[in-house]
Amino acid sequence: MSLPTTLPDQSGRTWLVTGATNGLGREVARAAAGVGARVLITARDAARGEWTRREIGAASVIDVDLASQASVREAAARVEEPIDVLIDNAGTITARRVESIDGHELVFATNVLGPFALTNRLVDRLRGRIVIVGSGAHKRSRIDFTDPHFRRRRWSVAAAYGQSKLADMLWALALQQKLTDRHHPATVQLAHPGWALTNLQNATGHARLDDAITAACRPFAQPADTAAASILVAATADLPPVSYIGPGGLGGLRGAPAHASRSPAAMDRSLAAAVWRLAAEETGTDL
């Protein structure tokens, strides 16, 4: 199925984009603003958020640290207007196991629990499309429901990031079911950027090594504005609920947006229900 690559006019519509101060989020916010959307962006660093707001023409900045449930609660309370498109894009990778202020493993806290709670707290203001950004990394991963925060088992970058992205894929399934049961007007879509040249790969903690990794990736990875296309299609195209959009070429790493494949685990509704229960318990939010 051919997918549109031109953004429709978004005048009169409001987008909220998380993680919009760099990389994919910034390109998504810039593109939405460019076709008339009123764009709200989130930022962990207020100064950087304000700089980005001026650069892309966003309407306002919402200060939030997605790894802190208190910060998420306060941020959601500051959003008073209806949201037509919510882009749950913000994510992180760490070089070692780190805990959030709430005692959660930081990758899981930022990539899953924060977006989960923010979306739940905004649900009564949502009226259009929710896009959750996944990753091909989910295909090689599993979720350990007995130890999701790696308190007992061995932590690794691949295990932590992959688990978080499989959880995002399953959260999307569960969220759509919850919205359908409530006859809520919003629908959920999934997207992944493929191999994107963003700051996400700069997680070693060593500037020289990060620079070397970026230089090695540059000839092969898509620039952020190209990689953001899949997210924009997921946000605006006429799609069945919980479609998964990603680059259509070179093993899903590059190319124009297309319907992407996902692992059997990512379509398991019993696992989706288990992810929902876990996230609801950890965040104290539910629908």
Side-chain angles (χ1 to χ4, degrees), residues 35 52 109 123 156 167 173 184 200 206 221 256:
V35 291
T52 304
V123 72
S156 72
L173 276 185
H184 194 286
L200 197 62
H206 302 281

Side-chain angles (χ1 to χ4, degrees), residues 66-124:
L66 287 171
S68 163
Q69 288 297 309
S71 180
V72 169
R73 182 171 59 250
E74 292 165 4
R78 292 195 292 272
V79 180
E80 299 179 347
E81 62 193 283
I83 304 298
D84 297 284
V85 179
L86 169 62
I87 307 291
D88 282 312
N89 159 78
T92 194
I93 291 179
T94 59
R96 57 185 177 81
R97 185 185 180 278
V98 181
E99 287 195 351
S100 73
I101 192 171
D102 300 312
H104 302 137
E105 190 271 328
L106 190 64
V107 175
F108 200 76
T110 305
N111 295 5
V112 183
L113 300 180
F116 177 90
L118 180 66
T119 302
N120 285 352
R121 292 185 183 281
L122 292 175
V123 72
D124 291 334

Side-chain angles (χ1 to χ4, degrees), residues 86-168:
L86 169 62
I87 307 291
D88 282 312
N89 159 78
T92 194
I93 291 179
T94 59
R96 57 185 177 81
R97 185 185 180 278
V98 181
E99 287 195 351
S100 73
I101 192 171
D102 300 312
H104 302 137
E105 190 271 328
L106 190 64
V107 175
F108 200 76
T110 305
N111 295 5
V112 183
L113 300 180
F116 177 90
L118 180 66
T119 302
N120 285 352
R121 292 185 183 281
L122 292 175
V123 72
D124 291 334
R125 276 149 280 178
L126 300 177
R127 59 187 184 186
R129 186 71 56 91
I130 301 164
V131 179
I132 297 171
V133 177
S135 167
H138 85 272
K139 294 182 178 180
R140 303 177 296 279
S141 302
R142 67 183 185 91
I143 300 170
D144 186 336
F145 290 98
T146 66
D147 188 20
H149 299 295
F150 296 86
R151 295 187 177 110
R152 295 178 299 279
R153 60 186 170 125
R154 179 178 175 274
W155 184 96
S156 72
V157 174
Y161 185 72
Q163 175 184 252
S164 75
K165 286 304 173 181
L166 178 55
D168 282 339

Side-chain angles (χ1 to χ4, degrees), residues 22-25 27 89 93 133-136 161 192-202 213-214 216-231 247 252-255:
N22 57 55
L24 298 170
E27 297 304 330
N89 159 78
I93 291 179
V133 177
S135 167
Y161 185 72
H192 80 90
W195 192 358
L197 192 66
T198 69
N199 287 336
L200 197 62
Q201 72 265 0
N202 295 339
I213 292 171
T214 298
C217 290
R218 184 168 283 112
F220 308 102
Q222 299 187 114
D225 58 344
T226 302
S230 294
I231 301 171
L253 298 177
R254 298 175 62 91

Side-chain angles (χ1 to χ4, degrees), residues 20 30 44 51 88 105 137 191 204 240 252:
R30 187 199 309 276
R44 188 173 53 184
W51 184 88
D88 282 312
E105 190 271 328
T204 69

